[in-house]
Amino acid sequence: MTRILVVGATGLVGRHVIAKALADSRITRIVAPTRRPLAAHAKLDNPLVDFDRLPAEADWWDVDGVICALGTTRAEAGSDQAFRVVDYNYPLEVARLARKHGASRFALNSSVGANARSKLLYPRTKGEVEEALKAMGFQSLTVVRPGLIGGDRDEFRLGERIATAVLGILGPVLPRSYRISPADRIADALIEAAVTGAPGVHLIGSAELAAD
């Protein structure tokens, strides 16, 4: 039986992770630290936190696996620095504290094109997080790199809506790696990695997540 920590629980992928994890009989406890409360559930521990001041010694860090679905965009964050705080600082601080308390498996929702040597902010940051996590010593690390994520977001993103419509039409004739990655498939991959991830570093690319 498995205890998992989920960060980014209020986002598109995170919401799917929580719903699926609550229904998964292998998972006995879900810890989902958030800024605002989630719907109550007997299996869910939902500490309200400030991600800039995470409680380092809280007992809820004692989990088996971690799922990180934290993420924003430069436009939403408002600056390069604010984007880096959410997409780099927060995931690594969560990983550090979870590892300190004994977590052995970590599953990261990253992005297609992640590259620590990219000149572009978004893929470079994603790649840098991946590299930093590899150095933390998790028994099992799984990096999930979806393409354009399919699903209904709370916030409106015009560019993403347009791209989703175009890829939805062209999807059947595109290579799998260029198709939409449905949020529920990403959630499935993250949960499986957090619950049963084999030793070592594993990469799940967009082709494996693509809509049929």
Side-chain angles (χ1 to χ4, degrees), residues 154-177:
D154 287 339
E155 73 277 10
F156 179 77
R157 298 180 181 178
L158 178 59
E160 195 169 274
R161 290 285 182 89
I162 294 171
T164 299
V166 171
L167 290 179
I169 295 170
L170 298 178
V173 300
L174 290 174
R176 291 187 63 83
S177 58

Side-chain angles (χ1 to χ4, degrees), residues 5-212:
L5 174 74
V6 180
V7 288
T10 59
L12 173 56
V13 171
R15 293 198 306 271
H16 282 270
V17 168
I18 294 295
K20 288 174 175 287
L22 289 173
D24 193 321
S25 61
R26 300 171 300 174
I27 299 171
T28 55
R29 180 175 176 235
I30 304 157
V31 180
T34 57
R35 295 184 189 276
R36 59 182 186 272
L38 303 175
H41 190 283
K43 270 172 64 169
L44 180 65
D45 183 359
N46 179 215
L48 300 184
V49 301
D50 177 351
F51 278 90
D52 291 312
R53 298 174 182 82
L54 288 170
E57 300 305 324
D59 58 5
W60 47 258
W61 289 109
D62 182 18
V63 295
D64 304 299
V66 180
I67 293 174
C68 180
L70 283 169
T72 186
T73 64
R74 180 5 183 122
E76 289 175 344
S79 69
D80 290 2
Q81 181 179 359
F83 167 78
R84 290 272 302 180
V85 166
V86 175
D87 276 57
Y88 183 85
N89 294 11
Y90 290 171
L92 294 184
E93 182 65 0
V94 166
R96 183 185 72 81
L97 291 171
R99 185 74 190 94
K100 173 185 173 183
H101 286 265
S104 61
R105 298 183 292 274
F106 195 97
L108 173 71
N109 187 40
S110 184
S111 174
V112 66
N115 182 347
R117 287 156 290 284
S118 174
K119 294 182 179 180
L120 301 176
L121 176 67
Y122 188 86
R124 182 176 71 250
T125 301
K126 295 295 187 183
E128 288 173 347
V129 171
E130 292 180 11
E131 293 301 315
L133 286 171
K134 290 175 185 177
M136 285 193 174
F138 285 97
Q139 179 181 337
S140 176
L141 171 63
T142 301
V143 174
V144 179
R145 289 183 180 173
L148 183 65
I149 300 174
D152 295 325
R153 294 188 182 275
D154 287 339
E155 73 277 10
F156 179 77
R157 298 180 181 178
L158 178 59
E160 195 169 274
R161 290 285 182 89
I162 294 171
T164 299
V166 171
L167 290 179
I169 295 170
L170 298 178
V173 300
L174 290 174
R176 291 187 63 83
S177 58
Y178 290 94
R179 297 180 191 176
I180 291 171
S181 300
D184 65 328
R185 292 197 180 187
I186 300 168
D188 285 337
L190 292 167
I191 290 172
E192 202 59 36
V195 174
T196 67
V201 178
H202 311 277
L203 176 64
I204 299 176
S206 57
E208 297 173 71
L209 302 165
D212 296 324

